[in-house]
Amino acid sequence: MSTLRRPSGRGAGAGPGWEGAALRWLAYPANLAFAGIAGFVIALGVVTWLCAAVALVRALQRWLEDDLDTVFTTTFRELAATWRRTLPLSVAATVVVALVVADVVFLASRSSPWAVLLLAALVPLAALGALVVAHLPAAAALARDGSARQWLRLALGLVVTAPARSAGVLVVLVTWVALCTVLPTLVPVLGLSVPGLAALVAARRTVERHGSLLGRTA
């Protein structure tokens, strides 16, 4: 696993000097936006949101690793390569999220001690599940030829191996969801790409430090 590096921007025709540096840095918001739009289009199927996240993050990984700036079209190509592995996971995750939200709303509306205890037990489990799901697209990007089961194992390994870094991803995710609630116009452009990039960067750094993680998922 190579170290995390800034895309050189050669695909955008960047040259030397401050103009070239500006173009290279502008590639970040531009590519995040293009990938986010592609991911949003895919996620319009509702149960396809995790498929969209996996395809988007794999496209971002190609951009970071191989300097492939065509993230919009690459996202759709990655969808074609992964949807058979990710669609069952995406449907299952959608059902689980709906059940968890319904349980939280139901328990929060009750004032009995049992409801409080169940809610207190449910919150950390929901947080762990959210972390695994958030790391799943990054796992699919790092283990490109793996199966869905291998991706799940790697995602769990990423969370357990680097809990502090995983907690940072959770903070980014919660903060980003809150911001998108206030500014919903961000969702079609950057809704999936910002948390996806955060999880990918964290996962790459964890694998750089604990390279055996990838070997254990094979």
Side-chain angles (χ1 to χ4, degrees), residues 5-213:
R5 60 185 177 84
R6 185 178 70 246
S8 66
R10 290 190 299 272
W18 68 267
E19 296 95 339
L23 287 174
R24 285 192 294 271
W25 282 108
L26 285 174
Y28 272 97
N31 284 325
L32 285 177
F34 284 132
I37 292 169
F40 178 77
V41 170
I42 298 168
L44 288 176
V46 180
V47 295
T48 57
W49 62 273
L50 189 54
C51 302
V54 168
L56 180 153
V57 173
R58 283 166 65 100
L60 291 179
Q61 167 72 353
R62 294 285 304 277
W63 167 49
L64 292 173
E65 190 72 19
D66 303 326
D67 219 12
L68 188 64
D69 285 330
T70 56
V71 292
F72 184 86
T73 54
T74 301
T75 299
F76 287 100
R77 284 196 292 268
E78 293 293 349
L79 175 67
T82 59
W83 72 269
R84 288 182 178 85
R85 287 173 283 178
T86 56
L87 185 57
L89 289 176
S90 192
V91 173
T94 303
V95 173
V96 171
V97 169
L99 289 175
V100 169
V101 170
D103 287 343
V104 168
V105 171
F106 175 78
L107 293 173
S109 65
R110 298 294 185 270
S111 57
S112 69
W114 287 109
V116 175
L117 287 174
L118 288 174
L119 186 60
L122 182 60
V123 168
L125 290 176
L128 176 61
L131 276 175
V132 173
V133 171
H135 282 81
L136 181 65
L142 296 174
R144 301 185 68 85
D145 298 325
S147 65
R149 184 174 297 180
Q150 289 169 335
W151 291 344
L152 280 171
R153 286 204 300 266
L154 178 55
L156 181 59
L158 290 168
V159 172
V160 173
T161 302
R165 193 171 292 131
S166 299
V169 173
L170 184 61
V171 170
V172 171
L173 180 61
V174 171
T175 303
W176 184 246
V177 169
L179 182 60
C180 287
T181 302
V182 177
L183 298 172
T185 52
L186 292 173
V187 175
V189 181
L190 297 170
L192 290 174
S193 56
V194 168
L197 180 64
L200 178 60
V201 170
R204 283 164 61 104
R205 290 177 177 169
T206 300
V207 170
E208 286 169 4
R209 182 164 295 186
H210 306 277
S212 59
L213 272 174

